Amino acid sequence: MTIIEARDIGFSFGRKAVLKGIDLDCRDGEVLGIMGQNGSGKTTLLRILAGYLQADRGSVRYGGRELSGMDAREMARLRAVVSQGVGANFDFPVADYVMLGRTPYLSRFGREGVHDYRIVEQALGMTDTTHLQDRPVSRLSGGELQRVMIARALSQEPKVLMLDEPTSHLDIRHQMEIMDLLGDLSKQMAVIAIVHDLNLAARYCGRIALLHEGTIHSCGPPGQVLAPDTIREVFGVRACRAEDPGTGGGIFSFSIPGPDTAGKSRVHVICGGGCGRMVLHMLAGKGYRASAGILNEGDMDLEVARYLAIPALSAPPFSRIGEEQARMLGETCLEADAVVVVAMPVGEGNIRNLEVAANLPAHIPVVLYSPECTLEGLDCTNGKGDLLYEQIQGRGTLACTLEELAAVLENTGGTSRREDTGS
Amino acid sequence: MHTRLNGRLVIATLCLVLAAAMLLGVVVGESRISFTRAMAIIGSTFLPIPADWSQSEESIILLIRLPRVILAALVGAALAVCGAVLQSLFRNPMADPFLLGISNGAALGASIVLVTGVGYGAGILGVPVAAFAFGLGTIYIVYELARVGNRVPVTTLLLCGIAVAAFMSAGTSFLLFLSGENLHQIVFWLLGGISGRGWDYVLLLLPFVIGGSVLFFSISRSLNALMFGEESAQYLGIEVESLKKIILVAVSLVTGAAVSVSGIIGFVGLITPHMVRLWIGPDHRILIPVSLLFGAILLVMADLASRVLLAPNELPIGIITALCGAPFFAYLLRRRGREA
């Protein structure tokens, strides 16, 4: 059931527009993650949804009722907010702190009744903080304090629980415990949480609203919203998604794209047998528009290329490279600004890779990369392979370290291809 | 739970201590009047006790010492309770009732009357009325300076308070410079004192202290919530901006009234709530009444000391509170620092 409907929310700090027309629905039974870069307006949006800030335009409705028509007390019975970094410097006992959550239900001179004590007891139980109730809030660890703050929020008996970065400053175990708790709570109420960690969000949020430049970039299940392209656009990082063997879900690893990737040149990598993975990582890290192949299915280099979202030409497992595939490789190499040939064991199956490389037109720079700095002992084809390696070495450059390779590529591929012709 | 039980016990005990301190204040003095006689004189006001004392003894007890002791208790209670509330509002244990410049404004008002003689026409109350008006005026200026739209950020409020207080102090200093023969009078007022104040002063201050205390006690739950930040309090269903306005107006009225009858008595408003918090914890439902009683006791005792120490001369009470308060405060801070 939809509990909060926000429509066309606009908000400015002075002349700076922070939110420009946000539409967002929040339903019970799910954890809605709000994500976005620092300064993208996540906290502002949460404060508007919570009624702390008044939007410049648009409306927020709780169960069809306009938020701006409610007083603080009424709001406090509908939603509870766990803000970020609440200073708890006072020796205030946890039980009394959680009892503050009953404020919207108590009259000015009224005393807490049996019912209020029972609610507090339940809230402490749900957050597993019963054993802390006599401790002063100033002497809690980060994880304990977060739980106690959630307990206070729960004692408000809210329909919506809002949290601003509930897992920040917590170690990994406490992060997961808090997110598990939110998942449990979402069965009884709607939960909205600002989350920074993409992996945590992907795992625990039912839906994610991605905030970007004051608008909702996308909103939906994590698998849909957290696509590598979207992540790159919104967060400015390269994201690689891999299967998480533990959960069966996806996990992301991130890298910062090199400067000015658009101007970088195309580099095709001929590799195999896992010899090329460091080269592929290096190229991806420096922002080259890399491609790879031909690689047999099951080859570790192919896995790495897919992990890095590098397009790769592939062939069926353990098969010979055919005529048609060799032609495609040749075309790919012709489009590249440089071709890297990684020294690898060569047999009848993959020898076509070397043939193509050896016969490339002279204006295509070819770099041979051998971390061992030798080409001996790689041939399993009775001399054909050695001959091809010799040819390639004769028309190209040999690089023995990744640094050397990077330097050579920087000099060849970085500039226009025509200038390199004939050199 | 045990804190609440303790709270009642503490309050009951302090009531007894306050009563004892006030009796002591009435009995001790330059003209020696025995304890029983003093009791009899007080009792005779509402019991048919045959008078076996002189008319002057009755005057000393009923018209000089009794109002003075009651006034000391009221001023102490007012300053302590306002200090407790402001420390919560500013979330800073260093806040005191004079923080926002009310004392500096009041001092200027009093100085103007004492130097120029304007307002002496209003009789004995010329100085307190001017002090009260200037004190409130100062707070109003501070408030208007700090106000952003409908909100009053507390840090801005603090800074504006400092600025305006400095301005008012400069005005007072200028008047001191010009004052000539009135210098002694002004300095004496600035140092704080309640000697020679009669029942009219008590009646002036009493409604403010009663009204303020009831109000502060009624918002003690909100004050608890406010300790954890304004945003957090708002989320608990408290209209924080209106609460802040109520607190500022009430604290200004109560402090202004206290300053106008007693001059500037420092440290009571700062140190009392601080000590009480170290003793019984930060729960305002106990902190407010205990601070009130404790402040009253402290000032009654300080007043007694001011009469006894250099007898027959009287020390300004502000000197006593600062002399005892400052080192004790430092001691508390050091001790707490070691525990933490």
Side-chain angles (χ1 to χ4, degrees), chain A residues 204-323:
Chain A
Y204 290 99
C205 294
R207 276 192 313 147
I208 288 173
L210 200 54
L211 231 55
H212 186 48
E213 290 175 350
T215 58
I216 300 268
H217 180 285
S218 42
C219 182
Q224 205 177 305
V225 172
L226 298 180
D229 285 348
T230 313
I231 292 174
R232 180 155 183 165
E233 186 188 342
V234 171
F235 294 99
V237 293
R238 189 198 319 280
C240 302
R241 191 172 187 279
E243 290 284 301
D244 175 1
T247 61
I251 47 171
F252 293 98
S253 72
F254 308 98
S255 53
I256 293 180
D260 192 21
T261 54
K264 284 283 188 179
S265 46
R266 288 169 188 272
V267 175
H268 184 80
V269 183
I270 292 172
C271 55
C275 300
R277 56 192 175 161
M278 296 313 288
V279 175
L280 294 176
H281 273 292
M282 185 272 281
L283 293 176
K286 290 194 183 292
Y288 282 98
R289 287 177 290 162
S291 54
I294 297 168
L295 292 162
N296 288 108
E297 290 291 345
D299 194 313
M300 181 184 274
D301 283 348
L302 186 61
E303 306 258 308
V304 171
R306 287 190 177 141
Y307 178 78
L308 295 171
I310 290 173
L313 300 165
S314 63
F318 305 109
S319 67
R320 281 188 188 204
I321 295 168
E323 200 65 49

Side-chain angles (χ1 to χ4, degrees), chain B residues 3 18 89 93 95 105 189 217 236 255 271 292 327-328 338:
Chain B
T3 49
L18 177 60
L89 177 67
W189 192 90
F217 187 68
L236 289 174
T255 311
I271 203 171
L292 185 137
F328 189 64
R338 228 168 287 140

Side-chain angles (χ1 to χ4, degrees), chain A residues 24-234:
Chain A
L24 193 62
D25 282 346
C26 167
R27 312 172 195 136
D28 59 3
E30 69 172 12
V31 178
L32 172 64
I34 299 181
M35 307 194 74
Q37 265 189 310
N38 289 338
S40 60
K42 302 183 295 291
T43 300
T44 305
L45 177 60
L46 199 73
R47 282 176 168 167
I48 288 172
L49 294 178
Y52 182 69
L53 290 177
Q54 180 88 46
D56 298 336
R57 63 187 166 87
S59 73
V60 179
R61 288 165 181 275
Y62 278 60
R65 287 197 52 212
E66 193 70 45
L67 185 64
S68 52
M70 300 182 202
D71 63 18
R73 217 171 145 81
E74 203 174 351
M75 284 184 210
R77 296 177 186 195
L78 283 173
R79 58 94 183 97
V81 185
V82 176
S83 315
Q84 206 186 339
V86 166
N89 307 321
F90 299 92
D91 299 338
F92 209 64
V94 165
D96 288 356
Y97 178 78
V98 175
M99 185 59 89
L100 283 178
R102 299 304 296 163
T103 305
Y105 297 91
L106 294 168
S107 66
R108 181 145 291 207
F109 288 99
R111 306 203 57 169
E112 302 88 350
V114 183
H115 178 66
D116 300 304
Y117 281 105
R118 195 160 47 225
I119 299 274
V120 167
E121 211 171 283
Q122 280 171 5
L124 289 168
M126 279 156 92
T127 52
D128 192 21
T129 48
T130 310
H131 61 290
L132 300 173
Q133 57 181 323
D134 293 325
R135 288 252 293 275
V137 284
S138 51
R139 304 218 182 123
L140 298 177
S141 72
E144 289 168 344
L145 181 62
Q146 196 66 44
R147 285 179 170 278
V148 165
M149 281 161 57
I150 294 175
R152 189 187 88 169
L154 292 180
S155 72
Q156 285 176 247
E157 298 180 281
K159 297 205 165 30
V160 185
L161 176 64
M162 302 178 173
L163 307 99
D164 192 348
E165 291 189 42
T167 56
S168 60
H169 310 304
L170 298 187
D171 62 47
I172 181 70
R173 184 182 169 101
H174 285 106
Q175 288 185 14
M176 295 177 75
E177 283 175 358
I178 292 287
M179 294 307 286
D180 273 333
L181 173 63
L182 297 185
D184 288 345
L185 293 176
S186 71
K187 288 166 197 148
Q188 302 161 46
M189 62 194 79
V191 176
I192 309 178
I194 293 177
V195 187
H196 261 306
D197 189 310
L198 277 83
N199 283 316
L200 220 50
R203 180 158 167 191
Y204 290 99
C205 294
R207 276 192 313 147
I208 288 173
L210 200 54
L211 231 55
H212 186 48
E213 290 175 350
T215 58
I216 300 268
H217 180 285
S218 42
C219 182
Q224 205 177 305
V225 172
L226 298 180
D229 285 348
T230 313
I231 292 174
R232 180 155 183 165
E233 186 188 342
V234 171

Side-chain angles (χ1 to χ4, degrees), chain B residues 2 43 112 115 117 148 150 186 189 194 204 220 251 262 277:
Chain B
H2 67 276
I112 289 174
V115 170
V148 183
N150 205 24
I186 299 182
W189 192 90
I194 46 173
L204 196 72
S220 56
V251 164
S262 69
R277 204 177 281 113

Side-chain angles (χ1 to χ4, degrees), chain B residues 85-173:
Chain B
V85 172
L86 281 187
Q87 286 174 7
S88 169
L89 177 67
F90 288 103
R91 286 187 294 290
N92 188 335
M94 293 296 150
D96 84 351
F98 303 153
L99 191 69
L100 297 177
I102 195 164
S103 55
N104 308 74
L108 182 62
S111 306
I112 289 174
V113 174
L114 291 170
V115 170
T116 63
V118 176
Y120 266 147
I124 189 172
L125 295 179
V127 172
V129 167
F132 188 65
F134 270 72
L136 288 192
T138 306
I139 291 282
Y140 181 73
I141 293 170
V142 170
Y143 180 84
E144 282 299 319
L145 278 178
R147 191 165 60 89
V148 183
N150 205 24
R151 296 192 176 208
V152 191
V154 285
T155 36
T156 324
L157 199 62
L158 248 167
L159 293 172
C160 291
I162 291 170
V164 175
F167 185 81
M168 295 293 170
S169 288
T172 308
S173 301

